[in-house]
Amino acid sequence: MSAPALDRPESGIDDRVALDVADLTVELRTPSGTVRAVDHVSFRARRGETLALLGESGCGKSMTAQALVGLLDPIAAIKEGSITLDEVDLVTAKESTRRELAGTQLAIVFQDALTALNPVYTVGTQLAEPFRIHRKMSKKEARHEAIELMRHVGIPEPESRVDSYPHQFSGGMRQRLLIAMAVALSPKVLLADEPTTALDVTVQAQIMALLHRLRTEHDMAVVLITHDLALVAEQADRVAIMYAGNVVETGPVAEVFGNPRHPYTKGLLDSVPVSTERGADLKSIDGTPPDLHSIPAGCVYQARCPLARARCVSERPVLSGTGPNRQAACHFSEEIDNV
Ligand SMILES: Nc1ncnc2c1ncn2[C@@H]1O[C@H](COP(=O)(O)OP(=O)(O)O)[C@@H](O)[C@H]1O
Ligand code: SF4
Ligand SMILES: [Mg+2]
């Protein structure tokens, strides 16, 4: 089964597309058999825009990100699909080409800055590394770039802090350091996997503002990976909603949230408070996502869906157009207002 191509422009080439992921499928070898953690996931990220990958914990967001940057766990492997960056498919490219492209054009910021930074090297040494490896700079030049980078991401007194170790920075400052490393070589695409989940609300807002500024200055595409619907509403231009390894709905954030076309999206929206409706009843979605070992043959959402019926059990819906630039994977999208 293969989902139709996503978001293709009506005609011509969209040269703002920086990353084109099509039918990405990742399987995991577990003691009790092979499971599919990412199933024909497709999305496109454009320069100057933020695309959110939104979904509950365990739906395959991080696995998707790890597949993109070539950091999958040894028990996981890409089984199908393409990851096109700079007209090169990273899945089939030579390892040296993939490394060079993924190392310079595609950067990732993880949730946990402390484990992502090496505790035994100064931040200056770590920030200088991309310049040493990819730009072949001398130690002195690279150190200068590291200091400038620290300044660029808002770290005070970079000349004296460049020789400090990661544990000597606060959580928010460490996240700034990770972001600095990520944007060092001006990548076209920045993946941010739950970049603010470990931070308090004020620092979260500062980090999101920083990402927004850098996105504009570097004309990057940002892929914001999160379980936080409010963050998506505030920060993203487009959203791809994931459930059990599948993208179930995608489109511009305002349209998808204003007029959802998939019962899961509707369920998610009904389960968060709307500021103008304080005190209104919140409905949580009954049940839990399926275990990866027992993903049903038909629709992945069938066990929790109020609209489910025989066709949903026998036939997997594919993403298909529900409006301009919008897709949902549901046989009965048009009945959503009855949910
Ligand atoms: N090393 C692993 N071994 C077995 N299962 C894993 C491993 N890593 C992830 N998984 C499973 O793969 C699925 C997707 O995980 P992940 O991509 O981390 O989800 P998310 O980032 O959306 O929370 C989950 O069901 C998770 O339990
Ligand atoms: S295909 Fe069926 S089970 Fe799946 S979301 Fe649509 S109505 Fe619900
Ligand atoms: Mg994750």
Side-chain angles (χ1 to χ4, degrees), residues 28-31 35-38 55-66 73 75-76 193-194 225 227 242 245 290-293:
L28 277 171
R29 275 178 288 113
T30 77
V35 295
R36 192 167 272 191
V38 178
E56 289 167 283
S57 174
C59 73
K61 304 183 296 297
S62 293
M63 200 75 78
T64 302
Q66 288 157 12
D73 205 80
I75 61 161
D193 190 356
E194 309 270 10
I225 298 170
H227 65 278
M242 286 185 71
D291 184 272
L292 286 187
H293 291 280

Side-chain angles (χ1 to χ4, degrees), residues 243 248 262-265 267-268 285 290 296 298-306 308:
Y243 186 83
V248 295
H262 193 282
Y264 177 58
T265 315
L268 278 181
I285 308 173
C299 177
V300 288
Y301 192 57
Q302 60 183 270
R304 302 173 85 182
C305 182

Side-chain angles (χ1 to χ4, degrees), residues 104-217:
T104 56
Q105 302 296 342
L106 183 62
I108 185 160
V109 173
F110 296 102
Q111 171 179 342
D112 185 355
L114 197 52
T115 50
L117 291 163
N118 190 325
V120 305
Y121 294 109
T122 65
V123 300
T125 303
Q126 295 180 65
L127 287 173
E129 201 176 72
F131 299 108
R132 305 264 295 152
I133 294 174
H134 293 284
R135 298 274 150 85
K136 315 278 182 246
M137 284 185 188
S138 70
K139 251 187 168 157
K140 194 170 165 221
E141 288 168 324
R143 179 185 165 86
H144 173 76
E145 290 297 330
I147 292 170
E148 286 312 306
L149 211 46
M150 289 172 78
R151 203 188 316 282
H152 190 49
V153 298
I155 293 179
E157 300 172 33
E159 289 88 351
S160 57
R161 308 248 32 210
V162 68
D163 296 317
S164 303
Y165 290 87
H167 74 269
Q168 295 174 299
F169 291 82
S170 67
M173 285 297 153
R174 280 197 293 263
Q175 197 55 293
R176 284 179 192 266
L177 289 165
L178 264 201
I179 293 169
M181 281 172 89
V183 300
L185 302 172
S186 271
K188 292 197 172 115
V189 184
L190 181 69
L191 306 176
D193 190 356
E194 309 270 10
T196 60
T197 305
L199 305 172
D200 72 45
V201 176
T202 319
V203 181
Q204 263 187 24
Q206 291 163 357
I207 295 293
M208 290 315 303
L210 171 66
L211 285 174
H212 194 269
R213 171 167 71 76
L214 293 173
R215 185 191 84 179
T216 310
E217 287 173 4

Side-chain angles (χ1 to χ4, degrees), residues 5-146:
L6 267 180
D7 294 350
R8 298 299 185 252
E10 298 303 316
S11 62
I13 295 166
D14 184 348
D15 61 8
R16 297 291 293 166
V17 172
L19 176 71
D20 188 342
V21 177
D23 288 329
L24 183 66
T25 300
V26 178
E27 287 181 353
L28 277 171
R29 275 178 288 113
T30 77
S32 39
T34 299
V35 295
R36 192 167 272 191
V38 178
D39 192 356
H40 292 90
V41 160
S42 301
F43 58 84
R44 299 177 120 195
R46 291 183 179 78
R47 300 189 82 156
E49 282 188 2
T50 298
L51 169 82
L53 278 189
L54 170 68
E56 289 167 283
S57 174
C59 73
K61 304 183 296 297
S62 293
M63 200 75 78
T64 302
Q66 288 157 12
L68 297 180
V69 290
L71 288 176
L72 279 173
D73 205 80
I75 61 161
I78 296 176
K79 283 293 158 194
E80 202 183 319
S82 60
I83 300 166
T84 309
L85 180 71
D86 254 357
E87 295 174 16
V88 175
D89 175 14
L90 299 181
V91 177
T92 51
K94 274 199 319 206
E95 180 57 17
S96 56
T97 310
R98 194 198 64 72
R99 260 175 206 266
E100 178 58 24
L101 261 181
T104 56
Q105 302 296 342
L106 183 62
I108 185 160
V109 173
F110 296 102
Q111 171 179 342
D112 185 355
L114 197 52
T115 50
L117 291 163
N118 190 325
V120 305
Y121 294 109
T122 65
V123 300
T125 303
Q126 295 180 65
L127 287 173
E129 201 176 72
F131 299 108
R132 305 264 295 152
I133 294 174
H134 293 284
R135 298 274 150 85
K136 315 278 182 246
M137 284 185 188
S138 70
K139 251 187 168 157
K140 194 170 165 221
E141 288 168 324
R143 179 185 165 86
H144 173 76
E145 290 297 330

Side-chain angles (χ1 to χ4, degrees), residues 270-318:
D270 287 344
S271 66
V272 293
V274 178
S275 58
T276 52
E277 290 177 23
R278 279 190 203 284
D281 281 350
L282 292 180
K283 289 186 279 180
S284 63
I285 308 173
D286 288 340
T288 52
D291 184 272
L292 286 187
H293 291 280
S294 49
I295 301 273
C299 177
V300 288
Y301 192 57
Q302 60 183 270
R304 302 173 85 182
C305 182
L307 293 178
R309 62 199 79 169
R311 187 176 169 203
C312 309
V313 177
S314 59
E315 190 188 332
R316 174 80 54 96
V318 294

